Amino acid sequence: MSRRVYLDHNASTPVHPEVLAEMLPYFSESFGNPSSVHGFGREARAGLDVARDRVARFLKVAPEELVFTSGGTESDNFGVKGLAGARGRGHLITSKIEHHAVLRACQWLEGQGFAVTYLSVDGHGMVDPDEVKRAIRPDTIGISIMHANSEVGTIQPVAAIGAIAREHGVPFHVDAVQTFGKLDIDVAAAHIDLLSFSGHKIYGPKGVAGLWIRKGTKMVAVQHGGEHERRRRAGTENVPGIVGLGKAVEVRGRDMHEERRRVTALRDRLWEGIRARVPEARLNGHPTERLPGTANISYRGVESESVVLGLDLKGIGVSAGSACTSGSVEPSYVLVAMGVPIDWAMGAVRHSLGRSTTAEDIDYVIGSVEPTVSKLRAVLPVGAA
Amino acid sequence: VRYSPALLEHFLNPRNAGLMREPDGVGAEEYEGCGDLARFFLRVRDGRVSEARFQTYGCGPTIAAASAASELVTGRTVDELLSLKPQEIEDAVDGLPEDRKHAADVVAGALRAAALDVLRRQRGGDR
């Protein structure tokens, strides 16, 4: 195996060299606890302050509205449970295709006595703002809708939903983990109150993320302990990680618009190439309102994990839309919610491109998919396809 | 490494994949909940398998297990196939991860079903 092509950027990304360089001193030189009053602590605190300012500038929000967390999952849990906990009881609105961090937090809240409406999506994976409006009840205390779905990349009409939320005085949480640093997000114009974002999807390190909380939004802490993060999230800050996140955001501010154009073109080249060569392939997700680098493609009749394995053996990293664990295979809940027929949903493969992806990579992938899929189809029992 | 070199080799170059014309027995097995499916065709000469071909739908290990099993059973008697253990098939691909053991189960099930079909057809022919 010589060529290696990574097309799983929605899962994680490599740390940008500029990010790594900025982080390194905070492991062993400026290693102090930012809560300490001495010089060592102040050095670490200064690193945190710079990072917080960078993220605040990028989002056009106040630095003190940002809370750093350990990951997108924690940010989502904090957003949803923190909002609910501060209100004690009531009704939440979310969608059926949210990340599990939101879905399972909502399910947990149901167990605590809260009511939750899980909105359906259309065939492109889009939430209808009118349905959000219809779902609002007098006791609705929060709405949580993702900015873009990680599996199919469909971008939700968050500004329209935000306007409805504001009109009804309902706080609005947006899981922007897949869009932060890739698309422009105007939290003021979209009337967003809480925004989850993460570092390792944008060439920052793993284990660091954040939640932006609009000033005045009532929240309770989910994690208790010290006075960190203005008493909203206890625990010594992950200083090198936060420094890295701050730098990653700064780099994204510089590079993301140019990269968006380039990656969108490559994404479309991939789909056009596969569509021209592989029979019975379909693109899942919205044709245009979609993450720049995401192409979720189904091959009817084949099993996605075998495509992933076949491509892996050619040095290509993509991810399966269905997962076979302990002998039971489940098609993706996102594709099921979109109404994708089962024999297509089982053969869904997600390709997610990023800053290192080249046209040569894409052509190599197109050339590899065709024989991989046709070989798998050759061993299919008649009638199974 | 998740899968053995032997498994990956069979996955990449499946032996005896495809249909067989006028087989002496056909059998299939589906793994419930997973949807994995294997179908075997057997040709029998003098009580022994002279050729085994297969078709599968499933994850990589199922395809590899079917390929390895098609080689494993060639030359065996039909009776031996009736008592074929999934472990033998697993050994033929140098092991399966815990959550992919069903690949050997579904392939062994399809081969047993195909062997039963051979015997059934033979009995039918005697009448």
Side-chain angles (χ1 to χ4, degrees), chain A residues 301 305 324 327 329 375 379 381, chain B residues 12 31 33-34 37 55-57 100:
Chain A
E305 196 181 285
C324 177
V329 97
K375 205 154 147 185
V379 301
Chain B
L12 275 179
Y31 190 79
C34 172
L37 186 117
Q55 298 175 307
T56 64
Y57 170 83
R100 293 294 182 276

Side-chain angles (χ1 to χ4, degrees), chain B residues 12 14-15 25 27 31-32 48 51 60-62 84 86 89 97 118 120:
Chain B
L12 275 179
R15 268 69 110 184
Y31 190 79
E32 294 230 359
R48 290 184 183 273
E51 189 185 3
T62 305
L84 184 68
I89 294 167
V118 171
R120 193 177 50 77

Side-chain angles (χ1 to χ4, degrees), chain B residues 75-124:
Chain B
R76 292 201 181 185
T77 67
V78 176
D79 283 343
E80 283 170 335
L81 259 60
L82 291 176
S83 57
L84 184 68
K85 298 277 183 295
Q87 186 62 49
E88 281 188 82
I89 294 167
E90 183 178 343
D91 291 345
V93 292
D94 285 350
L96 289 164
E98 197 53 46
D99 60 357
R100 293 294 182 276
K101 299 280 189 203
H102 65 274
D105 294 337
V106 71
V107 167
L111 277 164
R112 283 194 299 265
L116 276 172
D117 188 45
V118 171
L119 296 177
R120 193 177 50 77
R121 292 186 194 203
Q122 283 174 350
R123 279 200 302 274

Side-chain angles (χ1 to χ4, degrees), chain A residues 145-148 155-163 172 174 185 189-192:
Chain A
I145 299 290
M146 65 196 342
H147 193 189
I155 300 166
Q156 302 298 340
V158 289
I161 296 168
F172 182 31
V174 171
I185 303 171
H191 302 295
I192 296 167

Side-chain angles (χ1 to χ4, degrees), chain A residues 103-123:
Chain A
L103 283 178
R104 293 192 176 144
C106 284
Q107 286 160 5
W108 182 83
L109 285 168
E110 283 186 283
Q112 305 300 306
F114 289 86
V116 181
T117 297
Y118 300 91
L119 296 174
S120 298
V121 294
D122 68 14

Side-chain angles (χ1 to χ4, degrees), chain A residues 340-375:
Chain A
V340 176
I342 187 85
D343 54 337
W344 288 97
M346 294 295 281
V349 177
R350 181 186 70 184
H351 315 73
S352 49
L353 291 57
R355 61 183 284 266
S356 64
T357 311
T358 64
E360 291 73 33
D361 289 340
I362 294 303
D363 293 344
Y364 176 69
V365 173
I366 295 167
S368 302
V369 164
E370 197 269 322
T372 300
V373 171
S374 62
K375 205 154 147 185

